[in-house]
Amino acid sequence: LLRNFLNHNEKVNDYRCEQCTTIGNVNRKVSITKLPEIFMVTAKRFNYENHIAQRINTPIITQKEIQFADKTGIYKYQLMGM
């Protein structure tokens, strides 16, 4: 789930650069450069259609421990609650 979020690229048309004010098309991507000691993830469990919230009942299946690596090393996180 998290890997899919981090691998997602969003195309943005008519983006204006704040430094040089050039306008162009860009790809926006989320990345984590330094991992924290405590890593908290909130899953949105509702889908909105016509301004009405509908609960998503699909179970989230995950491991009790996940690990990520960055330039400084490998970080292990344990699932504490759901």
Side-chain angles (χ1 to χ4, degrees):
L1 183 66
L2 183 61
R3 187 169 284 120
N4 289 344
F5 176 73
L6 293 174
N7 288 334
H8 176 73
N9 285 321
E10 179 184 355
K11 190 170 189 165
V12 179
N13 297 322
D14 298 329
Y15 174 81
R16 180 185 297 269
C17 177
E18 293 177 5
Q19 294 178 354
C20 67
T21 67
T22 302
I23 297 175
N25 298 335
V26 297
N27 289 322
R28 181 178 7 201
K29 181 179 178 181
V30 175
S31 63
I32 300 172
T33 55
K34 184 176 181 219
L35 292 165
E37 185 177 326
I38 297 173
F39 190 74
M40 190 168 103
V41 176
T42 303
K44 293 183 180 179
R45 302 291 293 156
F46 294 92
N47 198 13
Y48 293 92
E49 290 185 27
N50 298 327
H51 304 290
I52 298 172
Q54 296 177 342
R55 182 170 168 73
I56 299 172
N57 293 317
T58 306
I60 297 174
I61 300 170
T62 186
Q63 303 164 331
K64 294 191 185 233
E65 182 178 283
I66 57 173
Q67 64 182 29
F68 295 102
D70 70 3
K71 295 175 184 175
T72 61
I74 296 174
Y75 293 78
K76 292 182 181 180
Y77 297 97
Q78 291 184 350
L79 179 63
M80 300 300 286
M82 198 127 158

